[in-house]
Amino acid sequence: MKFKNFITQTLSILTFSGIMMGCGASQHKQNTAENKRPNVIILFSDDAGYADFSMNGNQLIKTPNIDAIAKNGITFTNGYVSGPVCSPSRAGLMTGRYQQRFGHECNLGGNYTKVDEELLGLPIGELTIADLMKQSGYRTGMIGKWHLGEKQQFHPCNRGFDYFFGMLGGSSAYHAGKASSIIRNFEQVNYKALPYLTDAFGDEACNFIDENKDHPFFLYVSFNAPHTPMHARPDYLTEAKSLFETEQRAVNAAMTRSLDDNVGKVMTKLKQLDLDDNTLVFFTNDNGGAMPYNASCNDPFSGTKGTFLEGGIHVPFLAQWPDVIPAGTKYNQPVITLDILPTSIAVARGKCPSDREYDGVNLLPYITQKSNHIPHSVLYWRLQHHGAIRKGDWKLIWFDDKAPCLYNLDTDISEQTDLAEEYPLKTKELLDDFNRWQEELQAPIWESDPKWKEHSRQRYDQSYVNSLKKR
């Protein structure tokens, strides 16, 4: 069915014009098709390299199920996350707001400057996407890695999720009997009775879909693969070893295969239940590949997790919603994971509250050509002692103790040529824009210890350019 005909025939069901209005859309009266409101699923990977998917040209690591989302939907070629490390990125995703607005700027799980431990998590005054979807009448579930606080007040079931299965912290072993604390809602799970962790997350996601198939649902599947520790399924690892020169790279490939398998489980379950046409699915990653720690590859970008080079924040970003999002399309304007919340709330015919500023936007008008504008004229990043801004094709990376670097991404996607001295007016313009944005932010609730700054600086100074041989 062509998109134009679909809209004509289904306006009365989806009140599509209201959906296109975004977070400010008015509430609509319930009708006989209320339970046909679209489901929303976020599939999230962890520390994956940009080049570690066959849709991005990898010839050795095959990811057919993730590739199929791109084939059946849209690829955002300039998709970004709001943070270069795990917890801040997830805080932005869950709230639709730059996490620096509420002090969740630095990562969780390390050593901090002096801070009240009761504050180590997503501030309780922030509303999550689950809170807002639940207000719209959706069943809400989360599977996998939370990493937004381990105290009771931060627990997913206290942050809008009806169901949770996974881990509260930032990492876990993958094999039975070796995992970190895995819980179902508030109860400890016997991990020895579970399969390989990525498979367990895929199975749980399918169970949630089965149990909620007759009601609109929102599901956040936060896989921890291929985050360290590097544990692969033995059968997949044996095959991968024949393709790669190093065992660590083979382990990464095997873990990525498991990730793709379980994305496939979820997509197959939707099709089996005849829910695929009525489900908006996102796939993206929390930050750039964590090379060299997990042997990921971020080609063609420089940089890695923890930096604001493209390799740290430019991620795979896909969406599928048959008959609404045209299949096999590409969208080249910059978008950011902050956009997932307002897009989802618009689909649910909900409202974002007016008592706070949302930095994300509803993407549907742009990708369906209902709007001639662009989602974002500028994007910002900050992490403790450094930051970045992208404005058009210009990108500036700011440091607190060295000269800023300016790049033109149109001609230098690998960020190899610093143009700051050649274009001083452009450098000043972007610095001024960045400083104006900083005035809106809150100080970090906690900060990483000084060792993090040195560690981060080493990543920049090495100016990573990943080896094409890894492919």
Side-chain angles (χ1 to χ4, degrees), residues 263-412:
V263 167
K265 282 182 188 176
V266 172
M267 302 307 289
T268 298
K269 176 60 68 174
L270 291 175
K271 191 170 185 64
Q272 289 173 344
L273 298 175
D274 199 25
L275 297 175
D276 52 331
D277 284 348
N278 196 42
T279 303
L280 170 61
V281 178
F282 292 98
F283 173 83
T284 188
N285 188 53
D286 67 340
N287 45 246
M291 53 88 61
Y293 307 105
N294 70 345
S296 54
C297 180
N298 289 325
D299 284 339
F301 308 134
S302 295
T304 182
K305 174 182 179 178
T307 75
F308 292 127
L309 293 163
E310 290 290 284
I313 54 176
H314 192 152
V315 295
F317 198 145
L318 313 172
Q320 173 186 315
W321 187 9
D323 291 328
V324 176
I325 298 175
T329 57
K330 295 184 183 294
Y331 187 78
N332 298 322
Q333 295 294 337
V335 300
I336 192 166
T337 47
L338 305 177
D339 299 328
I340 291 177
L341 181 146
T343 304
S344 301
I345 302 307
V347 165
R349 285 177 273 163
K351 288 183 67 175
C352 292
S354 59
D355 65 344
R356 63 200 67 202
E357 182 170 355
Y358 283 87
D359 300 293
V361 302
N362 174 17
L363 293 174
L364 288 175
Y366 305 101
I367 61 181
T368 58
Q369 300 181 351
K370 295 289 181 178
S371 173
N372 295 323
H373 300 289
I374 62 174
H376 303 278
S377 60
V378 60
L379 294 173
Y380 304 94
W381 297 267
R382 192 182 76 177
L383 179 58
Q384 198 165 330
H385 59 276
H386 60 299
I389 175 174
R390 174 170 178 169
K391 188 175 185 179
D393 290 325
W394 291 100
K395 180 178 170 189
L396 181 137
I397 299 179
W398 163 89
F399 303 90
D400 65 351
D401 59 357
K402 63 180 289 189
C405 299
L406 180 70
Y407 303 101
N408 188 312
L409 299 180
D410 181 51
T411 57
D412 182 23

Side-chain angles (χ1 to χ4, degrees), residues 118-177:
E118 292 297 317
L119 299 178
L120 287 173
L122 181 66
I124 58 175
E126 291 299 313
L127 293 172
T128 69
I129 185 172
D131 288 320
L132 297 175
M133 294 296 280
K134 195 169 182 177
Q135 288 176 14
S136 293
Y138 277 60
R139 304 277 174 80
T140 57
M142 190 208 151
I143 312 297
K145 171 178 169 176
W146 177 237
H147 205 193
L148 290 174
E150 299 185 35
K151 297 290 186 180
Q152 191 77 356
Q153 63 268 31
F154 304 123
H155 190 288
C157 291
N158 290 325
R159 305 309 299 269
F161 289 99
D162 296 315
Y163 179 78
F164 171 65
F165 176 89
M167 54 192 176
L168 297 176
S171 64
S172 171
Y174 291 78
H175 296 307

Side-chain angles (χ1 to χ4, degrees), residues 67-89:
D67 296 356
I69 299 175
K71 181 179 178 181
N72 297 325
I74 190 166
T75 300
F76 297 98
T77 59
N78 280 285
Y80 288 94
V81 287
S82 63
V85 289
C86 299
S87 188
S89 174

Side-chain angles (χ1 to χ4, degrees), residues 197-322:
L197 189 58
T198 307
D199 293 332
F201 289 160
D203 293 343
E204 285 287 327
C206 291
N207 290 340
F208 179 88
I209 295 170
D210 259 329
E211 292 173 3
N212 294 279
K213 60 182 179 294
D214 296 323
H215 193 282
F217 64 80
F218 165 70
L219 176 60
Y220 171 41
V221 189
S222 178
F223 294 106
N224 58 318
H227 191 289
T228 55
M230 303 304 290
H231 297 159
R233 276 180 44 166
D235 52 341
Y236 286 4
L237 180 58
T238 298
E239 181 177 333
K241 283 182 177 180
S242 67
L243 300 174
F244 294 93
E245 295 179 0
T246 68
E247 180 166 346
Q248 191 176 30
R249 185 63 175 153
V251 172
N252 179 287
M255 294 173 74
T256 302
R257 178 178 172 184
S258 293
L259 167 69
D260 185 74
D261 279 354
N262 286 281
V263 167
K265 282 182 188 176
V266 172
M267 302 307 289
T268 298
K269 176 60 68 174
L270 291 175
K271 191 170 185 64
Q272 289 173 344
L273 298 175
D274 199 25
L275 297 175
D276 52 331
D277 284 348
N278 196 42
T279 303
L280 170 61
V281 178
F282 292 98
F283 173 83
T284 188
N285 188 53
D286 67 340
N287 45 246
M291 53 88 61
Y293 307 105
N294 70 345
S296 54
C297 180
N298 289 325
D299 284 339
F301 308 134
S302 295
T304 182
K305 174 182 179 178
T307 75
F308 292 127
L309 293 163
E310 290 290 284
I313 54 176
H314 192 152
V315 295
F317 198 145
L318 313 172
Q320 173 186 315
W321 187 9

Side-chain angles (χ1 to χ4, degrees), residues 4-21:
K4 183 175 181 181
N5 292 335
F6 172 80
I7 296 301
T8 301
Q9 296 175 21
T10 59
L11 272 172
S12 61
I13 297 177
L14 291 178
T15 56
F16 201 77
S17 59
I19 290 175
M20 290 301 180
M21 289 171 62

Side-chain angles (χ1 to χ4, degrees), residues 49 63 81 447:
T63 52
V81 287
E447 293 187 359

